[in-house]
Amino acid sequence: MSFSDEVMTVEQKGKIAHLTLNRPEKRNALNDATIEALDAFFSAVPETARVVVVSGAGGHFSSGLDLSEQVKRQPLEVMAHSRNWHRVMELVQYCRVPVVAAMTGAVMGGGLEFGAACHVRVAEETVQFRMPEGLRGIFVGGGGSVRIAKLIGGDRLTEMMLTGRTYSGADGERLGLAHYAVPEGLALAKAFELAERIAENSPTINTMIVNAIARIGAMPPEAGLYAESLTAALSQTGPDAEEGLRAFLEKRKPQFG
């Protein structure tokens, strides 16, 4: 499966769907058309894909919301726009398959909100993590006050927004904005290396991991523990569980369908 348009390209590479934000002249700022493209893709991830890798063309992951479309909007329009972002970012976070972000250059504002919805984040050491909304007279609207605050804490997000502070990729890995920090030019290769490893897992367990853990974390402890038991019970039935346990006992690599 392969298609392209003016804001995003998608190419199937074996078990991996590679999605590339494709507005390099705008440092891949997320305009309404890009959000529509993300909506279409994550609403119908190809059945052949076991992992999605996301990157940006032209050296930048995403510089954030395309502010040229936001200058004159009424409050209810802004709220509807924000709620649509929330819906699309939930499609990413609760995708059928894991999403790996290869982050380069600018990872700012809405770009970082998008990255925070991904499940595995690789950042080049030269990345610039930034939440500049406070300097623009606006508040975050793409889920950052929830997802980014969970990653680094509300106190640190508050400081980032108040001061416009920039963190490097190495800083981001230390704080939790990224899981891996790699030298410049190596993020995409590392993302594909991780994606290939993840693609060998049971598709069932991958789906359970990316869908259950975040939801369990939002539950009261007793409800979360009960949901964990239900998920564990479901995971240990069916051919994938049988193959995984049999492979362990036979000291071989499992071959999941």
Side-chain angles (χ1 to χ4, degrees):
M1 168 256 190
S2 179
F3 73 85
S4 65
D5 61 24
E6 62 181 7
V7 296
M8 192 176 83
T9 65
V10 176
E11 183 179 0
Q12 187 78 30
K13 299 180 178 180
K15 297 177 181 178
I16 300 168
H18 181 199
L19 183 159
T20 305
L21 301 177
N22 191 34
R23 302 184 73 213
E25 73 287 353
K26 293 283 189 177
R27 298 195 301 172
N28 298 315
L30 299 170
N31 63 353
D32 290 348
T34 306
I35 295 300
E36 289 175 8
L38 291 171
D39 186 4
F41 176 81
F42 283 101
S43 293
V45 175
E47 287 296 324
T48 52
R50 288 198 177 179
V51 186
V52 174
V53 169
V54 181
S55 64
H60 297 282
F61 182 71
S62 174
S63 59
L65 177 67
D66 190 337
L67 296 178
S68 68
E69 295 183 343
Q70 311 302 316
V71 176
K72 291 184 179 181
R73 280 186 169 172
Q74 297 302 310
L76 290 180
E77 292 177 315
V78 175
M79 187 168 183
H81 184 265
S82 171
R83 293 299 290 156
N84 186 57
W85 265 60
H86 293 164
R87 182 184 61 80
V88 175
M89 292 303 108
E90 284 192 359
L91 291 176
V92 179
Q93 181 175 4
Y94 298 116
C95 187
R96 175 181 61 80
V97 300
V99 182
V100 181
M103 298 189 290
T104 57
V107 186
M108 301 177 178
L112 182 49
E113 290 178 303
F114 178 29
C118 299
H119 307 107
V120 178
R121 297 178 299 281
V122 179
E124 294 183 354
E125 294 169 346
T126 51
V127 154
Q128 293 181 308
F129 288 117
R130 199 177 187 207
M131 292 300 291
E133 282 83 351
L135 306 183
R136 309 285 185 261
I138 58 177
F139 195 74
V140 294
S145 63
V146 174
R147 290 191 184 88
I148 299 172
K150 282 187 176 180
L151 295 178
I152 64 174
D155 177 71
R156 194 172 291 278
L157 177 60
T158 298
E159 189 272 340
M160 285 183 74
M161 290 180 64
L162 288 173
T163 66
R165 181 174 183 166
T166 300
Y167 286 110
S168 68
D171 290 333
E173 189 272 336
R174 175 175 56 85
L175 294 173
L177 295 172
H179 299 104
Y180 299 85
V182 297
E184 185 172 10
L186 297 183
L188 191 58
K190 182 65 174 179
F192 267 92
E193 174 193 326
L194 294 166
E196 293 281 3
R197 185 186 310 170
I198 294 167
E200 295 304 312
N201 294 345
S202 154
T204 300
I205 202 63
N206 278 348
T207 299
M208 287 182 175
I209 289 169
V210 300
N211 279 270
I213 292 175
R215 289 185 168 99
I216 288 171
M219 294 177 181
E222 288 188 5
L225 291 171
Y226 186 73
E228 178 185 270
S229 295
L230 288 174
T231 308
L234 290 171
S235 76
Q236 292 179 33
T237 61
D240 279 0
E242 183 176 342
E243 167 62 12
L245 296 174
R246 191 186 303 278
F248 173 76
L249 295 173
E250 296 174 357
K251 296 180 169 40
R252 60 175 173 81
K253 184 178 179 180
Q255 300 294 321
F256 296 112

